[in-house]
């Protein structure tokens, strides 16, 4: 099973990151594509625009956001691709742009993937 970790897009790339996947629907502000050092951008795995705008990084909405995003992930066509990538690489880092390191889609996605991969 792959080791899955998360990291802000504004932190420098490190060798220990392994395979880097940007999991935001929007490109992080102020970062040039050549400076991001991601291996793949899976914007389809990110929360829908409607859910992202509704959540707006409001911690009070975190539990509901988590439930709604998990529901989206269960029906996502991109989930198979990210599962394949986690099985192909020993270490995967989910890259996100949010300021809040505890309340963002990468946290939810990591937990979702760890549950799925442990079943497989």
């Amino acid at each position: 099973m792959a080791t899955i970790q998360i990291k802000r897009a504004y932190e420098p790339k490190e060798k220990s990151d392994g395979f880097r996947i940007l999991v935001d629907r929007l490109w992080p502000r102020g970062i040039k594509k050549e400076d991001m050092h991601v291996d793949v951008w899976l914007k389809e795995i990110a929360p829908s625009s409607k859910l992202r705008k509704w959540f707006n990084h409001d911690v009070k909405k975190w539990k509901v956001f988590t439930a709604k995003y998990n529901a989206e992930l269960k029906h996502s066509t991109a989930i198979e691709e990210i599962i394949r990538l986690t099985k192909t690489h020993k270490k995967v880092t989910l890259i996100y742009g949010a300021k809040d390191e505890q309340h963002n889609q990468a946290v939810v996605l990591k937990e979702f993937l760890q549950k799925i991969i442990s079943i497989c």
Side-chain angles (χ1 to χ4, degrees):
M1 181 168 98
T3 300
I4 302 171
Q5 55 192 17
I6 61 174
K7 188 174 193 176
R8 284 195 75 222
Y10 303 97
E11 295 177 37
K13 178 185 176 182
E14 298 173 323
K15 268 189 171 183
S16 61
D17 291 346
F19 193 80
R20 294 168 49 97
I21 305 171
L22 179 60
V23 295
D24 281 349
R25 189 164 296 276
L26 303 174
W27 192 264
R29 289 183 186 177
I31 300 179
K32 296 177 184 175
K33 290 190 180 186
E34 59 271 11
D35 295 337
M36 179 64 86
H37 305 289
V38 294
D39 295 295
V40 67
W41 180 15
L42 282 182
K43 55 181 131 179
E44 303 83 20
I45 201 71
S48 64
S49 294
K50 182 179 177 181
L51 181 58
R52 179 182 54 81
K53 289 175 185 176
W54 170 83
F55 175 51
N56 197 29
H57 300 286
D58 182 348
V59 177
K60 294 175 205 156
K61 297 177 179 178
W62 177 247
K63 285 187 179 183
V64 176
F65 169 78
T66 299
K68 288 184 176 192
Y69 184 37
N70 272 295
E72 285 187 358
L73 288 170
K74 288 177 186 173
H75 301 289
S76 172
T77 56
I79 200 69
E80 290 179 25
E81 175 65 11
I82 200 164
I83 289 170
R84 184 188 67 75
L85 290 169
T86 58
K87 288 182 176 182
T88 305
H89 302 279
K90 290 184 180 185
K91 187 175 276 186
V92 171
T93 299
L94 307 177
I95 307 294
Y96 66 94
K99 290 180 185 177
D100 188 331
E101 295 181 16
Q102 297 176 339
H103 304 97
N104 64 70
Q105 79 277 6
V107 171
V108 179
L109 179 57
K110 177 184 174 184
E111 289 177 13
F112 184 89
L113 288 171
Q114 287 175 325
K115 288 177 189 172
I116 294 290
I117 292 170
S118 69
I119 295 170
C120 295

